[in-house]
Amino acid sequence: MPASFQEILLAFEFVASGGGLHQAFLCRRTGKIYWRSELSDLDEFEDELPDDVEDDENYVAIPDNRELGLGKPLVLDFAREFLPDDFDEVRYMFSKRGAYQKFRALLTRTNALDRWHDFESKATEQALRDWCKLNSIELAG
């Protein structure tokens, strides 16, 4: 059964925002996504997970940013292409804690924030579509 790319994208964003506390699983047969959070105040995202959710033939876990290479490597790709004069500074930022806050300040200072959001969005969509293809997930529409 084809799965909705928009629902996969929403599930990806949910998983990515949880710092390891959120999970989502796609049923390969029905295209349904099951949501789970370790945070008690997000009970509306809790689904009763199927007993066989660990069966890789029937379910696939929605990946997070790191699994798709959308963390530091993506930032460095962006800096290399759009902020070449600041590349060394960005690389140094990402060798320490608090890098994203400093990166955002740099983007604001260089008027590149909108360009970053566009770059990140396109890269995320492409990486998720590639992930779907790699996992033989048929997409609706």
Side-chain angles (χ1 to χ4, degrees):
M1 178 95 163
S4 163
F5 182 76
Q6 288 305 314
E7 287 188 27
I8 292 173
L9 181 59
L10 284 173
F12 168 78
E13 290 170 351
F14 174 74
V15 170
S17 72
L21 298 175
H22 298 170
Q23 294 177 300
F25 300 90
L26 172 70
C27 177
R28 294 178 186 273
R29 288 179 288 113
T30 66
K32 177 177 171 38
I33 295 177
Y34 294 88
W35 308 69
R36 184 168 152 211
S37 176
E38 298 296 322
L39 301 175
S40 61
D41 60 339
L42 292 178
D43 286 339
E44 70 267 16
F45 289 107
E46 281 291 322
D47 280 329
E48 183 71 33
L49 293 181
D51 292 335
D52 62 343
V53 77
E54 299 297 325
D55 181 350
D56 292 339
E57 283 193 34
N58 291 327
Y59 298 91
V60 61
I62 302 294
D64 66 9
N65 290 10
R66 286 178 300 243
E67 291 175 74
L68 297 183
L70 295 172
K72 180 180 174 180
L74 184 64
V75 169
L76 294 177
D77 287 347
F78 177 83
R80 192 175 291 112
E81 185 174 342
F82 295 103
L83 302 170
D85 295 340
D86 300 303
F87 179 77
D88 288 336
E89 179 184 353
V90 172
R91 189 174 53 192
Y92 179 73
M93 279 178 201
F94 278 83
S95 68
K96 303 197 175 293
R97 289 188 165 273
Y100 280 99
Q101 185 176 5
K102 292 174 186 168
F103 181 60
R104 184 174 175 83
L106 174 68
L107 292 172
T108 301
R109 200 169 57 248
T110 59
N111 294 316
L113 189 58
D114 289 340
R115 192 177 314 154
W116 162 248
H117 288 302
D118 185 53
F119 184 86
E120 182 183 37
S121 176
K122 287 177 181 172
T124 299
E125 180 173 337
Q126 187 59 55
L128 265 180
R129 288 187 183 281
D130 292 346
W131 175 83
C132 287
K133 188 174 183 177
L134 182 69
N135 285 280
S136 302
I137 297 168
E138 183 184 349
L139 298 175

